Amino acid sequence: MLSLLPSHRPMGGNSIALRKSHQNHRTLARAEYKIRQMRDGDIPDVSFMCHEAFKDSAGGFLSPASQTVAQWERQFSVAVQTKRSARREFWFLKPEERVMARETLWGVYKGKKTYMDGSGQSRKPKPSILRKLYIFVVQESDTNEIVGCASISMARCESALPPPFPTTKPFRCYASNIVVKPGFRRQGLGKRLVQQCERVARLWGEKSIWLHVDADNDAALALYDTLGYQKVEYFALYGNGRTLLKAKHLPPIKRSTPRDIATVGKMEDNVFIWE
């Protein structure tokens, strides 16, 4: 969800710089923004930003938005550490172990299959969905202030109850926690964050991207409509009853044209600069 642009459900690479003009007091200044992967040191700022964005929309039965700043921090920290652990386990395997881990992945979901590691121990590989997590931040270059954020992960967003309640719904590529600070809105930053989530989803090979949005959030609804998101009917037993589920079909990446994802811009020193 977007808070502007809100998502009640929380949940690398090259930086993206965006140049926009904005009004700063009485002088018109030109500012540069970078979209980059969140670092550990950004977690307190991102958590406070999400808490401020979603606290007014929190409410209702088991609302995921009803969290303190400390709970937001723990949520982000656990998600990041879980991803690192899953990636470390997978990439530190020997090539033959990695193949076995891939082959047994679906069986692991049923709790039946394991693979043998180099020491002869029986292990269950962590699912690949745990490695699919990116948390982005928008940083103003002049002040290094974090002014926006967004997350993309794999989640069962159609479930009737939030985690950890069990569900049979499938995992979807899910964008959440899309926030732009009030003083930096209406500059296209929210749109850039959503587009960056879509870019990552396509790189993952996902065919669609999903998100939640408040029915009263006119700015976010207008943005998602412009970007081609469609309402999906679903039933939820939690929250305030005003949350909509939206999804968008994503075209596959044409591998022969790597710049298909970003139709405008250029690469300079591993930084993608929007023009």
Side-chain angles (χ1 to χ4, degrees), residues 164-179:
F165 291 95
T167 179
T168 58
K169 296 296 183 180
F171 281 96
R172 305 288 192 183
C173 190
Y174 182 66
S176 62
N177 302 329
I178 307 173
V179 178

Side-chain angles (χ1 to χ4, degrees), residues 101-147:
R102 283 198 183 103
E103 291 175 348
T104 60
L105 180 60
W106 292 108
V108 168
Y109 287 135
K110 301 177 182 179
K112 296 180 180 179
K113 295 185 178 180
T114 61
Y115 70 96
M116 303 298 291
D117 64 14
S119 62
Q121 298 295 319
S122 178
R123 299 178 62 184
K124 292 183 179 181
K126 290 185 172 65
S128 61
I129 57 171
L130 297 179
R131 302 197 301 270
K132 288 187 174 182
L133 168 70
Y134 275 91
I135 304 174
F136 302 103
V137 297
V138 181
Q139 183 179 35
E140 187 177 24
S141 296
D142 294 339
T143 63
N144 291 328
E145 181 182 0
I146 304 299
V147 301

Side-chain angles (χ1 to χ4, degrees), residues 23-269:
Q23 191 73 34
N24 183 10
H25 300 294
R26 285 183 273 183
T27 60
L28 189 65
R30 189 166 185 80
E32 181 182 78
Y33 301 95
K34 292 182 179 180
I35 294 182
R36 60 170 175 79
Q37 186 175 1
M38 184 187 74
R39 304 174 185 136
D40 289 350
D42 301 324
I43 291 179
D45 289 337
V46 172
S47 299
F48 180 78
M49 198 160 43
C50 289
H51 172 73
E52 291 297 306
F54 303 132
K55 64 180 181 180
D56 292 335
S57 59
F61 178 64
L62 293 175
S63 173
S66 303
Q67 299 187 103
T68 64
V69 175
Q71 288 173 324
W72 278 105
E73 288 187 16
R74 174 173 173 75
Q75 178 175 290
F76 283 120
S77 297
V78 169
V80 170
Q81 292 302 324
T82 300
K83 174 186 175 178
R84 288 175 181 166
S85 175
R87 291 185 66 183
R88 187 163 46 247
E89 176 180 306
F90 185 76
W91 291 112
F92 274 79
L93 297 176
K94 295 179 180 179
E96 61 271 19
E97 295 173 349
R98 197 175 298 171
V99 171
M100 288 187 291
R102 283 198 183 103
E103 291 175 348
T104 60
L105 180 60
W106 292 108
V108 168
Y109 287 135
K110 301 177 182 179
K112 296 180 180 179
K113 295 185 178 180
T114 61
Y115 70 96
M116 303 298 291
D117 64 14
S119 62
Q121 298 295 319
S122 178
R123 299 178 62 184
K124 292 183 179 181
K126 290 185 172 65
S128 61
I129 57 171
L130 297 179
R131 302 197 301 270
K132 288 187 174 182
L133 168 70
Y134 275 91
I135 304 174
F136 302 103
V137 297
V138 181
Q139 183 179 35
E140 187 177 24
S141 296
D142 294 339
T143 63
N144 291 328
E145 181 182 0
I146 304 299
V147 301
C149 64
S151 306
I152 183 167
S153 60
M154 303 300 293
R156 291 181 165 122
C157 52
E158 299 166 276
S159 59
L161 290 170
F165 291 95
T167 179
T168 58
K169 296 296 183 180
F171 281 96
R172 305 288 192 183
C173 190
Y174 182 66
S176 62
N177 302 329
I178 307 173
V179 178
V180 177
K181 282 187 175 181
F184 297 86
R185 296 174 184 172
R186 305 189 68 82
Q187 299 182 55
L189 298 180
K191 181 179 180 181
R192 295 297 195 187
L193 282 168
V194 176
Q195 289 174 332
Q196 182 68 352
C197 289
E198 293 176 2
R199 173 180 180 271
V200 171
R202 294 178 68 194
L203 288 171
W204 286 347
E206 298 295 333
K207 297 180 179 179
S208 62
I209 185 169
W210 299 60
L211 51 81
H212 283 97
V213 59
D214 273 349
D216 300 332
N217 195 333
D218 295 334
L221 289 171
L223 172 62
Y224 295 141
D225 290 343
T226 301
L227 293 176
Y229 284 80
Q230 303 293 323
K231 181 180 177 181
V232 178
E233 296 295 338
Y234 88 116
F235 176 71
L237 293 172
Y238 64 94
N240 54 22
R242 300 193 306 271
T243 303
L244 304 178
L245 179 63
K246 285 180 169 284
K248 177 182 178 179
H249 172 74
L250 298 174
I253 295 176
K254 298 178 183 179
R255 297 295 179 181
S256 59
T257 56
R259 290 187 61 180
D260 172 62
I261 302 173
T263 55
V264 294
K266 59 185 177 181
M267 292 295 296
E268 291 183 355
D269 298 326

